[in-house]
Amino acid sequence: MSYRRPLAGIAAITAAALVGTIAPAVAADGPSSNSVAQAAAVVERATGAADLAPSLERADGSAEATVEREAESVTITAPATANGPVEVGGTDGDRLTLRLAGAKDVNGVKAGSGTVVYPGAAPSVDLAVQPTVEGSVRTLVTLKDSAAPTRHRFDLDLPDGASLRANDGGGFDIVEQGEGGEETVAGSVAAPWAKDAQGRPVPTRYTAEGHTLVQDIDTNENTAFPVVADPKITFGWGVYINMWGHELGAAALAVGFGVEVGLAYICGKAKLILGTACGLAVGGKVLFPTWAEVKKLKSKKCYQNKFGSKRKWKIVSDKNCKYS
């Protein structure tokens, strides 16, 4: 049996955008190929492009990038137009979406090294999105000139029971509260950054209004445009427990069939998790299988569950149980 805290699904999101392998055609009245290429070049100069991941366009015009991680995969679904929501979800069913308020009905166009851009998605503002090989997605706001608005609102649809809470780093934690009052950090909004055309940092900050993240970018007469800003959301931090089928059956016998317990109880009652794992403060509980479910377990298969997920155990790759 193994126990670990992996980064199960990461999503760095700043605005709705399209991630696609096949770029939509540029309409006759749409942006020119030169403006698309320039928009992508501005973003990639600020972020780099070595870590971009491939993605697939779907029949409905949206796009999807899936990255496999040790514990699970994370799927990023981007809408066909800039005014739709970006959705990020893991195989455990957790998900969040984000939508840039006021974005236009603008199609995404793939350019550069794989960056998808929305030229003119808002007045004097371009949007761009970059899924990465680490399982994250960067969605960026580019202020093209001094006429661009410097306040941007991002509406978040969080999992049930989750909320934004300010942290000491200048960002926000996405906190989920369990039925017993325990709390689990399901993700975080990193402190924002912005760069001008000369690579100089531009002051920027967050505030939260309920589930709406508000970013202010402080440009002035010395700012060299365009300015690229990337508030980053990380979603899917999880605490996972992995057991072989025979171990899970023994644990259920020791802990209780069909009961939901926290890590501290498992450590004290079943004495199955050793070392530093039992010293961790982990929010949420994990549901153990019923007697009927235990009888169906496959002894040589690896099973996994996530604290706070309230879900049943699932079979995963054997490497999870061999992890040390």
Side-chain angles (χ1 to χ4, degrees):
M1 180 195 63
S2 66
Y3 169 86
R4 54 193 165 132
R5 177 188 287 267
L7 186 58
I10 311 177
I13 313 173
T14 60
L18 173 70
V19 186
T21 298
I22 303 174
V26 179
D29 59 350
S32 68
S33 58
N34 285 340
S35 66
V36 168
Q38 182 178 5
V42 167
V43 171
E44 291 181 1
R45 185 165 58 246
T47 65
D51 63 346
L52 298 189
S55 54
L56 297 174
E57 188 178 14
R58 304 197 308 184
D60 62 358
S62 63
E64 189 171 273
T66 300
V67 177
E68 297 293 333
R69 304 190 59 82
E70 286 187 1
E72 63 176 1
S73 63
V74 57
T75 300
I76 302 134
T77 304
T81 58
N83 59 351
V86 172
E87 179 177 315
V88 181
T91 52
D92 63 358
D94 285 345
R95 58 179 287 278
L96 68 76
T97 66
L98 177 145
R99 187 193 304 264
L100 176 65
K104 298 179 182 179
D105 185 14
V106 178
N107 291 330
V109 182
K110 188 174 180 180
S113 297
T115 298
V116 179
V117 295
Y118 290 91
S124 295
V125 173
D126 294 339
L127 302 180
V129 69
Q130 299 175 326
T132 76
V133 294
E134 296 177 349
S136 66
V137 55
R138 293 188 294 260
T139 310
L140 306 107
V141 179
T142 300
L143 313 187
K144 295 191 286 186
D145 52 47
S146 59
T150 57
R151 168 169 286 191
H152 298 275
R153 303 172 67 87
F154 304 95
D155 296 325
L156 288 164
D157 183 6
L158 301 175
D160 291 342
S163 61
L164 293 174
R165 178 181 299 172
N167 59 36
D168 294 336
F172 288 84
D173 291 330
I174 301 172
V175 179
E176 293 181 336
Q177 187 164 6
E179 294 179 355
E182 68 277 4
E183 294 182 339
T184 302
V185 177
S188 64
V189 181
W193 64 263
K195 295 179 182 179
D196 73 2
Q198 297 180 11
R200 298 175 301 190
V202 177
T204 181
R205 63 192 178 280
Y206 286 143
T207 54
E209 299 175 1
H211 286 185
T212 297
L213 183 69
V214 182
Q215 182 178 18
D216 288 294
I217 304 166
D218 297 333
T219 60
N220 57 39
E221 65 276 7
N222 296 318
T223 302
F225 289 90
V227 172
V228 178
D230 178 32
K232 180 180 181 179
I233 296 178
T234 299
F235 179 69
W237 283 97
V239 180
Y240 290 80
I241 183 170
N242 303 284
M243 295 185 186
W244 294 108
H246 64 88
E247 293 179 322
L248 181 54
L253 176 62
V255 174
F257 296 112
V259 301
E260 198 174 29
V261 297
L263 176 61
Y265 183 85
I266 298 173
C267 291
K269 177 74 174 180
K271 301 188 182 302
L272 291 170
I273 304 175
L274 306 177
T276 57
C278 283
L280 291 174
V282 175
K285 297 180 179 181
V286 65
L287 180 68
F288 274 84
T290 63
W291 170 240
E293 291 169 336
V294 167
K295 290 191 293 184
K296 297 178 181 179
L297 293 175
K298 299 177 180 180
S299 63
K300 295 184 179 181
K301 289 292 185 179
C302 181
Y303 291 81
Q304 182 183 91
N305 208 336
K306 178 182 179 181
F307 281 92
S309 67
K310 300 185 181 298
R311 294 184 175 88
K312 294 185 177 181
W313 294 76
K314 63 181 180 181
I315 296 177
V316 294
S317 171
D318 288 355
K319 68 181 181 181
N320 291 283
C321 285
K322 293 177 180 177
Y323 180 88
S324 59

